[in-house]
Amino acid sequence: MKELRITKVTSFTVQANFEWTFVRVYSGDLYGTGEAGPTPGASAIANTLGSVIVGEDAFKVNRILQKLRWATLYAGTSAYHIISAIDMAIYDLIGKYLNLPVYALLGGDRTEIPVYVDAHGGKGLEAMNSALMPVEPPWISQANVEKGRIKEPSPVHGRLTAEAWTSDYTPEAYASRARELKAEGWKAIKFDLDVPTPHSDPVRLRSGRLSQAEVQYLAALAEAVRDAVGYDVDIMFDLHWRYDLNTGIALCRALESVKPRWVEDPTPAVTTLTNLDELRMITSRCNVPIEVGENLYTYYQFKDLLGTGVSVWAPDPAKAGGITELRRIEELASLYDIEVSPHNIGSPIATMAAAHAASVSNTFGALEFHGHDLPFWNDLVKSKKRIIDASRSAIVLTDEPGLGVELDEEVAARLWPGFEL
């Protein structure tokens, strides 16, 4: 039997709208590229775990993943971000070696993968580092993102973030943004509702509680979006774990009239630690679908969502375990007809890895696209082809081998001096 021995593993972390860590797995001169979701110390973890798999046969994916699982016994979930990237890179490597696209290796049959666009608010979300602190990289001046919302150094999300209400958070701004995105062709759009209002009170926010005036204001933002796009576009709303139980329920009920496809992460039930009982309390009192999952790892944790009433799962393949683990999660979800709509804040590499894995999903919904307002997102790909067809709100998979995309390292080096994989 042929072997494909791993000879080297390299990595490089860059600052985009989020931190992306690219991991490359080599077999001689041939390589595959993967991507890890943001986590502090990603490159150091990648260097350590890369040394574990040098000499292994890339075809033996299960052995490699088991080896990495045992190697991270004391490392916590951050290590799974890197395992995810390694897994993607290995599939890319094998696909190139066999001259087959990854979806064909997986036995997939979907070649048109629906995509939804993340709008944030009246403008795109500011850039942040791996600790979710806002940053201003050189390219930010060219991006259509908000400025001036966060008043003091603090993570972008959470109950400690002092925020200023701006014109980006008015019904008019949300409606305008929704109309623009619909005009581009998007069939599904997500907006944030963990945003400041004219009635915001930091004392209430510290407990995750909103007044009725704030609840009604946020509901008005949602109503403006629905009025702008009609009912031929799906709309979703992300609450980013911000609110307490009663506020989460109140917001979900206030949003019922606009018929959202889902409401995402209304309470902190699934953050770095899980409280699945809280999810049962939410879903039993809300008539809108609830979506969670971007902070869960492996299909073991998604198994624990069964029985919570959560009807949309959002695994992030750059965190949860890569293509292999996303396949397992999709298989588990299909047993219960649960929609799988993966979270995705990555570059074209992570995006295409998710798309290939989606090809084998029986209950796939839509893949998130969080790079709409990044001026260089498409430029990162050689040949400058547009990966996502906004007019179809989809990614169309082709017969190109591996993941079907290659980083343009000259562009990367201009954006991030010293870039090398």
Side-chain angles (χ1 to χ4, degrees):
M1 180 178 173
K2 291 184 177 180
E3 292 183 340
L4 191 58
R5 291 290 172 186
I6 295 171
T7 56
K8 182 172 65 172
V9 179
T10 62
S11 69
F12 199 92
T13 298
V14 303
Q15 179 65 64
N17 52 342
F18 297 87
E19 280 191 13
W20 301 335
T21 296
F22 297 110
V23 174
R24 188 163 281 177
V25 175
Y26 284 85
S27 182
D29 293 331
L30 191 65
Y31 63 79
T33 307
E35 182 181 336
T39 188
S43 287
I45 299 172
N47 291 338
T48 300
L49 293 185
S51 66
V52 173
I53 65 170
V54 169
E56 291 290 332
D57 181 359
F59 282 118
K60 297 178 180 177
V61 178
N62 185 63
R63 171 182 165 82
I64 291 169
L65 294 178
Q66 285 295 307
K67 194 173 185 180
L68 290 170
R69 181 184 176 193
W70 289 108
T72 58
L73 194 60
Y74 300 108
T77 51
S78 288
Y80 266 91
H81 296 231
I82 305 305
I83 292 174
S84 301
I86 290 173
D87 181 82
M88 292 178 197
I90 288 173
Y91 274 104
D92 189 34
L93 173 65
I94 293 172
K96 289 173 179 175
Y97 182 77
L98 298 177
N99 198 32
L100 287 172
V102 168
Y103 79 87
L105 294 175
L106 302 177
D109 63 293
R110 293 176 183 264
T111 55
E112 185 161 327
I113 310 301
V115 178
Y116 75 88
V117 64
D118 192 299
H120 177 56
K123 292 180 183 174
L125 185 66
E126 63 264 84
M128 65 191 82
N129 64 19
S130 62
L132 297 186
M133 298 293 286
V135 294
E136 294 191 5
W139 51 261
I140 202 76
S141 61
Q142 306 170 43
N144 181 33
V145 298
E146 64 182 10
K147 297 177 178 66
R149 173 173 68 101
I150 298 178
K151 295 189 290 187
E152 60 186 40
S154 188
V156 167
H157 299 303
R159 297 178 181 175
L160 296 173
T161 304
E163 301 170 303
W165 179 72
T166 73
S167 60
D168 292 334
Y169 304 108
T170 61
E172 294 77 15
Y174 270 54
S176 176
R177 176 95 156 144
R179 284 190 292 267
E180 290 171 0
L181 292 170
K182 180 180 180 180
E184 292 178 14
W186 296 101
K187 308 283 191 304
I189 308 169
K190 186 170 76 177
F191 282 85
D192 290 347
L193 289 183
D194 60 318
V195 296
T197 78
H199 314 286
S200 292
D201 181 341
V203 175
R204 286 194 300 270
L205 176 63
R206 183 65 179 82
S207 299
R209 183 167 54 87
L210 297 181
S211 68
Q212 276 303 314
E214 291 172 280
V215 170
Q216 294 308 313
Y217 186 88
L218 295 175
L221 297 180
E223 290 164 5
V225 170
R226 177 56 81 195
D227 290 343
V229 301
Y231 284 91
D232 57 343
V233 172
D234 285 334
I235 57 175
M236 301 85 89
F237 299 99
D238 197 341
L239 307 186
H240 284 116
W241 322 279
R242 174 70 68 92
Y243 303 115
D244 70 6
L245 184 65
N246 287 332
T247 294
I249 292 168
L251 264 175
C252 288
R253 289 177 173 173
L255 295 174
E256 287 179 15
S257 63
V258 303
K259 308 296 183 187
R261 180 164 171 173
W262 69 67
V263 173
E264 185 171 343
D265 290 317
T267 72
V270 184
T271 51
T272 51
L273 301 172
T274 57
N275 181 6
L276 301 185
D277 290 334
E278 187 174 65
L279 289 176
R280 296 184 188 94
M281 297 170 75
I282 286 277
T283 59
S284 66
R285 292 163 172 81
C286 294
N287 291 325
V288 296
I290 301 298
E291 186 244 48
V292 304
E294 67 185 76
N295 292 327
L296 295 180
Y297 296 84
T298 78
Y299 73 121
Y300 293 102
Q301 291 194 338
F302 278 86
K303 171 185 66 67
D304 293 336
L305 283 181
L306 298 173
T308 64
V310 171
S311 57
V312 185
W313 289 0
D316 187 329
K319 295 169 63 176
I323 291 170
T324 297
E325 213 63 29
L326 183 52
R327 283 188 65 198
R328 290 170 173 164
I329 293 164
E330 290 168 341
E331 286 293 324
L332 179 61
S334 72
L335 294 177
Y336 300 89
D337 275 320
I338 293 169
E339 176 182 336
V340 177
S341 287
H343 178 257
N344 171 46
I345 56 175
S347 81
I349 297 295
T351 301
M352 287 302 292
H356 281 275
S359 182
V360 296
S361 172
N362 295 318
T363 57
F364 187 78
L367 172 64
E368 182 173 19
F369 174 47
H370 216 301
H372 180 275
D373 301 302
L374 269 184
F376 55 81
W377 200 86
N378 283 291
D379 294 338
L380 280 173
V381 178
K382 284 183 178 178
S383 78
K384 303 300 175 285
K385 65 178 181 180
R386 298 194 71 82
I387 292 172
I388 301 171
D389 184 346
S391 67
R392 298 167 72 171
S393 206
I395 293 171
V396 178
L397 297 175
T398 70
D399 291 335
E400 294 181 65
L403 295 178
V405 291
E406 285 290 338
L407 290 175
D408 189 324
E409 296 187 37
E410 290 185 6
V411 172
R414 287 198 299 269
L415 289 165
W416 305 295
F419 182 89
E420 184 179 3
L421 276 174

